[in-house]
Amino acid sequence: MLTCLASVTAASASDVEVLHWWTAGGEAAALNVLKEDLQGQGISWNDMPVAGGGGESAMTVLRARVTSGNAPTAVQMLGFDILDWAGQGALADLNAVAVKEGWDEVVPQALQAFAKHDGKWVSAPVNVHSTNWVWANKSVLDANGIDVPATWEEFEVALGKLSEAGVTPIAHGGQPWQDATVFDAIAMSTGGPEFYKAAFVDLDEDTLGSDTMVEAFRRMEVIRANVDDNFSGRDWNLATAMVANGEAAFQLMGDWAKGEFLNAGLVPGSDFLCFRFPGTQDQVTFNADQFALFDQGGDVSAEQAALASAILSPSFQSAFNVVKGSAPARTDVSDEAFDVCGKQAIADLANAASSGNLYGSMAHGHAAPASVKNAMYDVITAHFNGEFDAETAAAELVDAVSIAK
Ligand code: BGC
């Protein structure tokens, strides 16, 4: 049914209509790399931006479009959402292009798990982001005698120094997906990888309600105590700007934040620093953007095949991800063009994958399906805003997940 609804499209034959949420400055700069690539091939780009980090609003618009029989040609999508649409038969089969170009050999297994359904490629992986990063203003740290903290305890000491000096320690945007992004890192740091997997991937009740989870929520209260009064509802890129211009010291955010620093003309290592959230130096909680191509009725169109092929080309993977802040979605792309944070992202990813330390981000739909993710968002945000104490939050998480799964 969905396939048939999706077969009517607004795009004309040589267009690709692309639904995405890359509306911040750094994101738009990265997207231009793709637009220009396609325009160079004579394919015109019909832009369908839906603002809202994390993509929840974009997914709502997508559902409405598909229901009204007007699916976009290509849609930015994350993790379990891809598998969900593929399971409904809505996505085009990309196997012809994938096999011809040998995607199986070069795309990391962790991404293939979301890009393939029933043995067929259904989406084109663009990048590998990760959420367990901290972004810091170097002059603010230097002025306050703060070194990069290696442990949670050192991080708390740094936060205390900054507060005393009258600097906002953490720039944060109080939106559910941003609260959850912080929680990815806090949970990994508090409980380690086995805890993270048991809680967010296996949805194990004992782990969700454990003392370790209570401690993770307590640490969220420390974060909450170190954000400014105007955090509520703030967009993530405005929080990044606070770090960029020295109004705040740290932001806990995925590496799309780097795209914003670069777009503001700042240099990693001298103007801003990137480091793994203290206590997660060996782990990577990943979030990969992919473009799912909607079935337009019949075989994948020439424009869709060209888009998929352009996305996977090694030169595009380098050019795009250098600007976006992410690592390439192929293992054979040189890190030469990448800055110090990009080189670290690529090396961390390879190390985490080979040492069993690579986990899907809960906050960005790579640990559990959207229903569970959203249930977790509700509890994490309610707790962050003071509705529950840490013990109640852990108990609420158990209940919310058991209802949602
Ligand atoms: C996406 C990133 C994007 C970020 C903020 C994440 O879910 O994966 O590509 O930059 O949201 O919009």
Side-chain angles (χ1 to χ4, degrees):
M1 182 61 180
L2 270 176
T3 314
C4 131
L5 285 176
S7 66
V8 187
T9 173
S12 77
S14 60
D15 270 2
V16 282
E17 192 201 15
V18 184
L19 192 153
H20 63 89
W21 63 94
W22 283 334
T23 54
E27 295 175 325
L31 195 65
N32 267 338
V33 177
L34 185 56
K35 278 186 197 169
E36 280 164 17
D37 191 320
L38 286 177
Q39 275 158 4
Q41 300 183 48
I43 298 170
S44 53
W45 181 279
N46 186 354
D47 205 34
M48 178 71 196
V50 181
E56 266 187 291
S57 309
M59 291 303 102
T60 305
V61 169
L62 173 63
R63 267 189 301 279
R65 289 279 307 260
V66 176
T67 307
S68 66
N70 187 21
T73 326
V75 180
Q76 179 189 359
M77 220 182 264
L78 305 178
F80 278 91
D81 289 338
I82 303 170
L83 299 181
D84 191 11
W85 282 111
Q88 295 181 49
L91 303 186
D93 176 356
L94 298 180
N95 259 14
V97 57
V99 169
K100 185 164 146 248
E101 298 182 353
W103 295 2
D104 276 306
E105 284 73 60
V106 292
V107 174
Q109 284 303 325
L111 267 55
Q112 291 197 26
F114 294 106
K116 289 168 91 169
H117 182 257
D118 274 349
K120 286 185 199 139
W121 283 88
V122 291
S123 66
V126 183
N127 61 19
V128 191
H129 275 300
S130 54
T131 53
N132 57 322
W133 287 107
V134 183
W135 305 91
N137 181 302
K138 185 166 187 311
S139 330
V140 172
L141 296 201
D142 290 348
N144 290 284
I146 294 170
D147 292 331
V148 167
T151 61
W152 169 256
E153 290 72 24
E154 286 179 20
F155 188 54
E156 274 196 291
V157 171
L159 298 177
K161 276 192 189 172
L162 292 158
S163 286
E164 248 169 62
V167 178
T168 298
I170 298 172
H172 180 64
Q175 297 175 343
W177 75 271
Q178 294 189 64
D179 300 338
T181 299
V182 173
F183 201 59
D184 265 358
I186 294 275
M188 181 61 91
S189 169
T190 308
E194 279 166 24
F195 166 82
Y196 185 96
K197 177 175 178 290
F200 296 154
V201 180
D202 303 338
L203 309 178
D204 173 60
E205 283 197 9
D206 290 344
T207 312
L208 288 166
S210 64
D211 290 348
T212 309
M213 189 61 81
V214 174
E215 177 57 18
F217 278 112
R218 285 214 185 91
R219 292 185 181 186
M220 288 298 278
E221 291 166 14
V222 173
I223 304 297
R224 171 68 184 81
N226 282 282
V227 304
D228 71 318
D229 290 343
N230 299 321
F231 79 98
S232 195
R234 176 186 286 135
D235 285 333
W236 68 272
N237 52 318
L238 301 181
T240 309
M242 289 170 67
V243 175
N245 65 28
E247 252 178 86
F250 299 120
Q251 182 184 21
L252 281 49
M253 189 43 66
D255 37 16
W256 44 91
K258 194 186 77 180
E260 291 299 296
F261 288 109
L262 298 182
N263 199 47
L266 303 184
V267 178
S270 47
D271 298 322
F272 69 95
L273 303 176
C274 56
F275 57 94
R276 290 291 172 186
F277 187 80
T280 71
Q281 286 87 343
D282 294 334
Q283 283 85 41
V284 169
T285 47
F286 79 94
N287 166 33
D289 291 300
Q290 307 209 24
F291 276 106
L293 303 179
F294 274 70
D295 190 340
Q296 309 288 308
D299 286 344
V300 65
S301 73
E303 292 73 26
Q304 287 177 315
L307 175 66
S309 173
I311 288 172
L312 265 296
S313 90
S315 58
F316 168 78
Q317 286 281 330
S318 178
F320 176 91
N321 288 306
V322 158
V323 180
K324 183 69 171 65
S326 31
R330 303 177 58 117
T331 51
D332 61 346
V333 175
S334 160
D335 71 357
E336 206 183 317
F338 288 78
D339 61 31
V340 59
C341 300
K343 284 188 168 59
Q344 184 185 338
I346 293 170
D348 285 354
L349 182 62
N351 291 337
S354 63
S355 62
N357 276 300
L358 182 62
Y359 292 94
S361 156
M362 172 276 290
H364 293 264
H366 282 79
S371 54
V372 171
K373 178 190 84 170
N374 292 333
M376 290 191 177
Y377 275 19
D378 289 347
V379 176
I380 294 163
T381 288
H383 167 262
F384 198 76
N385 291 323
E387 236 172 88
F388 312 130
D389 62 17
E391 281 81 10
T392 312
E396 290 285 333
L397 199 59
V398 173
D399 288 350
V401 169
S402 89
I403 293 166
K405 77 180 178 188

